[in-house]
Amino acid sequence: MIRHIVFFSVRRKEDVEAVRSGLQELGKIPHSKHFEVTLNTKVDLFSNAIDVVVYAEFEDEGALAAYRAHPIYAETTGRVKPLRELRYSADVVAAA
């Protein structure tokens, strides 16, 4: 299983909800086993730069690739990208 975790910060704080709701559209893509978009609670002692977190689980690399190739992914990216400042992504293989 692949865990896909993406962290976003927005350029303007008034755009946080637009980014969050825009990213929720990715949940309509059928290739994930689990998908969620949450707001950062901002309780980190060192940095609270991250505003929105996407967490998804995929059966394998093929399912993740199909997710990224889906038309909703490109459409959502085009809508959210102008509103974000930072984007950090990690894909990790879950321990058995």
Side-chain angles (χ1 to χ4, degrees):
M1 178 177 63
I2 307 292
R3 292 184 178 143
H4 177 67
I5 309 152
V6 189
F7 299 94
F8 294 88
S9 68
V10 298
R11 294 181 192 281
R12 303 178 319 156
K13 295 304 171 193
E14 58 267 23
D15 291 332
V16 169
E17 181 55 30
V19 169
R20 187 193 65 78
S21 63
L23 290 169
Q24 284 182 320
E25 291 296 306
L26 297 171
K28 295 178 181 177
I29 300 172
H31 304 288
S32 63
K33 293 175 63 174
H34 177 83
F35 184 88
E36 61 185 84
V37 178
T38 59
L39 296 177
N40 184 13
T41 59
K42 299 202 174 197
V43 294
D44 190 322
L45 297 175
F46 301 104
S47 174
N48 286 310
I50 301 304
D51 297 303
V52 182
V53 179
V54 172
Y55 175 81
E57 295 175 352
F58 297 89
E59 187 65 40
D60 53 29
E61 291 284 341
L64 179 56
Y67 165 82
R68 289 184 174 138
H70 197 281
I72 291 175
Y73 186 88
E75 179 184 314
T76 300
T77 300
R79 207 169 45 245
V80 169
K81 190 174 183 176
L83 303 176
R84 69 172 169 83
E85 184 172 354
L86 298 173
R87 178 190 177 276
Y88 296 105
S89 178
D91 297 314
V92 295
V93 176

